[in-house]
């Protein structure tokens, strides 16, 4: 009996392809869990799946982040039991729904004191910040006082990064698309903020760092910023291209790195979440900074599940700041 609700789409396209449908949710199989969602996270990656930039079998669901209560566990799932309050960042897409059956690997128990909205908003974005700041520069390491450049600093990932970077003692230079967004980034711990819709961010980074450049650029904007981001790096600096909100970066002349012996990486969260143990270890670190209050998860917008298309319109129009959630 289809008695649950889910956002589904049958063809790639604009927000209008998203439809609220009645769906049946069965029992979990081996390694799976059934979760009743109390909140689902909205992420820019959902836009790439909806557009078909990241292909997936269709008709299909959307969404990779959620929080709720475990209703049933399948054979072989040892770390969860019915009644557990949980959250996850997980593939395949399908989090925009009232309840779902999914692989248990990336589902973790929520500590007491972290509510479902926070849990749903923080997993994919918070674990991303964890690996960006803590695991992406293993060789040289980031030290307190280091300058890093973080684009879209007032977004969901961005506002978490501003706070976490401050807790680590980093000098985060954030970019954002308006003065109001810049102020938000500063209020969340960015040491400097640049309105890249008006200012030349290369010149400003140069000025802020006294001509030295930054150790790492975290670039999720992609096409519009990539080449100029390289100009902000100090010698041996690292370019971490982790998204494409403005569109994919065209093929790159690798010679661009030669001028300053730069490093380039294109990381994704799911390479880091390779096992249940790795997921739990990363989540524990996230829970620690959220639990201590060093990082507050900025849930700025709440939408009914049926309004997922509007949530996507707002995200793509750059109207949002911080995190948005769907409430089933
Ligand atoms: P955000 O809340 O940051 O929203 C995207 C922001 O990108 C916008 O608010 C806007 O901020 C900026 N932007 C710049 N150019 C454009 C454009 N042309 N169209 C739309 N937005 C633009 O989203 P998320 O926090 O969900 O994700 C941030 C980025 O991180 C995304 O690119 C996402 O794909 C990436 N990501 C990558 C992961 C990985 O492991 N590789 C995991 C998680 C996220 P402004 O107006 O200030 O410019």
């Amino acid at each position: 009996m289809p008695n649950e609700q889910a956002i589904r789409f049958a063809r790639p396209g604009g927000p209008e392809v998203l439809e609220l449908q009645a769906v049946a949710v069965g029992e979990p199989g081996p390694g799976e869990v059934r979760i009743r969602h109390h909140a689902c996270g909205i992420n820019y990656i959902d836009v790439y799946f909806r557009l078909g930039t990241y292909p997936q079998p269709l008709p299909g669901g959307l969404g990779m982040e959620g929080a709720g209560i475990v209703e049933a566990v399948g054979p072989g799932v040892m770390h969860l039991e019915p009644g557990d309050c949980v959250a996850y960042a997980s593939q395949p897409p399908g989090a925009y729904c009232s309840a779902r059956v999914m692989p248990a690997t990336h589902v973790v128990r929520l500590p007491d004191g972290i509510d479902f909205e926070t849990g749903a908003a923080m997993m994919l974005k918070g674990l991303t910040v964890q690996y960006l700041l803590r695991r992406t520069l293993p060789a040289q390491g980031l030290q307190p006082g280091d300058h890093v450049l973080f684009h879209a600093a007032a977004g969901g990932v961005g506002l978490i990064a501003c706070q976490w970077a401050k807790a680590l003692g980093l000098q985060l230079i954030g970019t954002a698309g308006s003065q109001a967004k810049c102020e938000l980034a500063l209020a969340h711990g960015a040491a400097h903020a640049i309105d890249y819709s008006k200012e030349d961010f290369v010149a400003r980074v140069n000025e802020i760092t006294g001509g030295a450049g930054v150790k790492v650029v975290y670039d999720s904007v992609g096409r519009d910023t990539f080449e100029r981001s390289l100009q902000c790096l100090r010698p041996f600096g690292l370019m971490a291209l982790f998204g494409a909100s403005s569109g994919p970066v065209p093929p790159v002349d690798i010679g661009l790195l030669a001028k300053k012996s730069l490093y380039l990486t294109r990381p994704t969260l799911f390479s880091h979440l390779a096992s249940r143990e790795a997921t739990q270890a990363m989540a524990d670190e996230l829970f620690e900074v959220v639990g201590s209050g060093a990082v507050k998860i900025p849930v700025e917008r709440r939408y009914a599940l049926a309004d997922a298309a509007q949530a996507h319109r707002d995200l793509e129009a750059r109207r949002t700041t911080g995190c948005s959630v769907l409430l089933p």
Side-chain angles (χ1 to χ4, degrees), residues 50-227:
R50 194 205 69 219
L51 288 170
T53 313
Y54 292 174
Q56 65 163 331
L58 295 176
L62 213 56
M64 303 174 82
E65 188 179 44
I69 297 181
V70 173
E71 287 188 333
V73 299
V77 177
M78 310 305 285
H79 69 292
L80 298 171
E81 51 188 53
D84 281 347
C85 295
V86 293
Y88 65 84
S90 184
Q91 292 174 317
Y96 290 7
C97 62
S98 54
R100 72 185 293 200
V101 166
M102 61 181 291
T105 316
H106 298 130
V107 180
V108 297
R109 279 205 190 97
L110 271 178
D112 291 344
I114 298 186
D115 61 36
F116 291 125
E117 280 189 14
T118 303
M122 78 178 184
M123 292 299 288
L124 196 138
K125 292 174 272 285
L127 294 176
T128 297
V129 174
Q130 197 278 343
Y131 88 72
L132 287 174
L133 297 183
R134 305 278 293 146
R135 299 165 61 117
T136 299
L137 192 59
Q140 301 100 318
L142 279 170
Q143 304 298 326
D146 281 342
H147 281 105
V148 299
L149 176 63
F150 208 106
H151 288 306
V157 171
L159 286 184
I160 296 173
C162 289
Q163 298 173 76
W164 205 327
K166 184 174 185 190
L168 293 171
L170 301 173
Q171 296 284 307
L172 182 145
I173 305 170
T175 60
S178 70
Q179 196 49 42
K181 287 184 177 186
C182 284
E183 277 157 27
L184 201 59
L186 290 169
H188 283 77
H192 306 270
I194 304 170
D195 176 354
Y196 58 2
S197 69
K198 294 204 172 66
E199 297 176 87
D200 174 352
F201 71 80
V202 180
R204 287 277 287 118
V205 166
N206 204 32
E207 188 183 298
I208 291 165
T209 62
V214 298
K215 204 169 195 178
V216 187
V217 177
Y218 298 101
D219 189 340
S220 66
V221 172
R223 190 169 52 203
D224 288 355
T225 47
F226 179 80
E227 272 205 45

Side-chain angles (χ1 to χ4, degrees), residues 140-326:
Q140 301 100 318
L142 279 170
Q143 304 298 326
D146 281 342
H147 281 105
V148 299
L149 176 63
F150 208 106
H151 288 306
V157 171
L159 286 184
I160 296 173
C162 289
Q163 298 173 76
W164 205 327
K166 184 174 185 190
L168 293 171
L170 301 173
Q171 296 284 307
L172 182 145
I173 305 170
T175 60
S178 70
Q179 196 49 42
K181 287 184 177 186
C182 284
E183 277 157 27
L184 201 59
L186 290 169
H188 283 77
H192 306 270
I194 304 170
D195 176 354
Y196 58 2
S197 69
K198 294 204 172 66
E199 297 176 87
D200 174 352
F201 71 80
V202 180
R204 287 277 287 118
V205 166
N206 204 32
E207 188 183 298
I208 291 165
T209 62
V214 298
K215 204 169 195 178
V216 187
V217 177
Y218 298 101
D219 189 340
S220 66
V221 172
R223 190 169 52 203
D224 288 355
T225 47
F226 179 80
E227 272 205 45
R228 284 178 300 144
S229 292
L230 292 177
Q231 296 169 32
C232 296
L233 283 165
R234 72 182 207 181
F236 309 104
L238 173 69
M239 170 68 168
L241 177 73
F242 71 103
S245 307
S246 68
V249 175
V252 175
D253 171 8
I254 213 78
L256 284 174
L257 306 178
K259 210 169 164 190
K260 289 186 273 182
S261 301
L262 302 176
Y263 294 85
L264 169 63
T265 182
R266 191 358 182 146
T268 60
L269 175 62
F270 291 101
S271 325
H272 289 275
L273 303 182
S275 66
R276 195 178 78 69
E277 291 72 22
T279 304
Q280 188 65 57
M282 287 173 68
D284 285 345
E285 225 179 280
L286 173 62
F287 295 153
E288 198 178 306
V289 291
V290 172
S292 73
V295 172
K296 294 188 175 58
I297 302 302
V299 180
E300 304 273 348
R301 286 178 185 236
R302 295 164 181 83
Y303 299 85
L305 183 60
D307 294 332
Q310 185 57 44
H312 275 222
R313 284 186 197 101
D314 291 343
L315 187 60
E316 289 175 273
R318 304 163 84 159
R319 282 192 284 266
T320 64
T321 54
C323 309
S324 306
V325 292
L326 293 173

